[in-house]
Amino acid sequence: MTGWNKAMPEKKHGGKENRQHLGERITGRDLLYAAVPALVYTLLSNTVYAFITASGLIHSAIQLQAVSVSVCLLVFIWYAHREHLAVKSRKSTVFRYPAAFCYAAAVVMCGIVNNYIFAIIQSKFQDVSKGYAHVTEVFYQQELGLELITLCVLAPIAEELVYRGFVYQRMRAKGSETMAAVFSALLFGALHFNIVQFFYASVLGILLAHIVYKTGSLTAAAAAHMAANLVSVLWTETDWLDFLNQDGLKRYAAAGICLVLTGIFISYGNQLMRHERRV
C-alpha cells in the first residue's frame, strides 16, 4: 500500500488552507461523497458474503468473512491506486516509529477500556445488544488461525484503507481535522450495525484518525488497528490474557489504569511527533 501512492501532504498549522477549510460550508453532497466508499465497502462485503453462502461452497462463518473482506480489499487497493490515495507523508524521521508504537499502545489500551465498560454495562443491563452477541457467536470460537488472518490482518487493512483513507481524507479536504475525524469515526461505528460496536468502533476510529493526522501514515493506523484486534482475539479465544479478566472493584480499577495509560501513550506519541516537526 505504499509504492504507488502520492505522498500525504504535510500538515499546515494555522495556514491559509486551514482557515479556508474552517470557513467553508459542508454540504450534503460533500458528506455523501466522503461516505460512498464506506457504503460501497459494506454493500460489497455483504453481497459477496451472501452470494458465497447461497452457493454452499463455504459453510464456516470466518472463512466466508475472510473471502468477502479479501475481495473488498483487492477492489479498494485497485481504486486507491486509480485515485492516487495518499498513504504516507513525504517527510519521515526516526521519531515517527516510536510515535507509531505509542499510538498503537494507546489504541490497545483504549480497546481494553471499552471492553471493561461494556462488561460493566452488561452486568447491570442484560441483553444490551443482541446484535453484538450474534457477531461474537459467528466470528469467534472458530479456527484461531483464520480469526487471526481475517480479524487481525485483512479487516484492519481494508477498514483503514476505506475509513481513514477515503472517508477521512475526503472530509479533510473539505473541512477541519476534527470534522473529518468525527465523521469518519461515527460512520465507522454506525456501519457495524449494533450499539456496542458503534461506541467501540467510534471511539477507536477517532484515535485512528488522530494517528493518521499526526503521523501522516495509513500504515501506522492499520498497525494500531491490527494490534487492538489481536488483543481482542487473544483475550477472547485463549487463556494468554486471562490476567485482564477482573470482577467487581478490580474491573473499575483496571479500566481506570488502562484509561490513564491511553492518555500517557497518546501524549508521548504527540510529543515525539512535535520533535519530528522540529527536525
Side-chain angles (χ1 to χ4, degrees), residues 17-271:
E17 181 183 5
N18 278 356
R19 290 197 298 271
Q20 288 176 340
H21 282 172
L22 291 173
E24 288 179 0
R25 182 178 178 181
I26 304 300
T27 66
R29 178 178 291 183
D30 295 329
L31 294 175
L32 180 60
Y33 176 69
V36 161
L39 299 176
V40 170
Y41 173 82
T42 302
L43 178 62
L44 179 60
S45 62
N46 287 337
T47 300
V48 173
Y49 190 99
F51 176 79
I52 299 175
T53 300
S55 72
L57 296 174
I58 300 175
H59 300 286
S60 166
I62 196 65
Q63 290 179 7
L64 287 165
Q65 185 71 0
V67 173
S68 61
V69 171
S70 296
V71 170
C72 290
L73 181 57
L74 290 174
V75 169
F76 276 93
I77 286 176
W78 167 80
Y79 187 52
H81 176 72
R82 181 176 178 273
E83 295 293 306
H84 303 290
L85 183 74
V87 170
K88 61 180 180 178
S89 63
R90 297 181 181 91
K91 182 180 178 183
S92 181
T93 72
V94 68
F95 293 106
R96 183 160 306 186
Y97 301 100
F101 174 82
C102 288
Y103 289 136
V107 172
V108 169
M109 290 296 109
C110 185
I112 294 173
V113 172
N114 283 342
N115 276 300
Y116 282 138
I117 291 173
F118 173 64
I120 291 168
I121 293 173
Q122 192 176 37
S123 68
K124 298 181 181 298
F125 305 97
Q126 297 297 321
D127 298 327
V128 174
S129 173
K130 293 182 180 179
Y132 179 68
H134 176 69
V135 169
T136 57
E137 180 181 343
V138 170
F139 296 124
Y140 288 95
Q141 299 179 350
Q142 305 278 336
E143 303 95 324
L144 180 59
L146 273 175
E147 284 185 28
L148 293 173
I149 292 171
T150 305
L151 303 179
C152 304
V153 179
L154 296 176
I157 293 174
E159 289 174 348
E160 291 314 303
L161 186 59
V162 171
Y163 289 96
R164 258 61 62 182
F166 286 106
V167 177
Y168 170 82
Q169 289 188 38
R170 286 182 174 186
M171 279 302 296
R172 182 83 189 283
K174 292 292 184 179
S176 68
E177 152 62 19
T178 300
M179 181 181 295
V182 171
F183 179 77
S184 61
L186 290 178
L187 189 63
F188 182 45
L191 291 180
H192 279 80
F193 298 110
N194 66 77
I195 191 66
V196 173
Q197 285 184 294
F198 169 75
F199 287 107
Y200 186 98
S202 294
V203 171
L204 292 187
I206 290 175
L207 277 180
L208 292 165
H210 180 75
I211 292 172
V212 175
Y213 174 65
K214 287 294 185 179
T215 66
S217 172
L218 278 179
T219 304
H225 195 157
M226 288 179 189
N229 283 15
L230 177 62
V231 169
S232 179
V233 170
L234 293 181
W235 191 358
T236 303
E237 297 289 64
T238 73
D239 57 1
W240 297 354
L241 299 176
D242 277 353
F243 66 91
L244 293 174
N245 295 321
Q246 303 294 336
D247 294 312
L249 292 177
K250 289 183 178 179
R251 180 182 287 165
Y252 288 92
I257 291 170
C258 290
L259 185 60
V260 170
L261 288 174
T262 300
I264 291 173
F265 281 121
I266 292 173
S267 178
Y268 193 57
N270 291 344
Q271 184 178 352

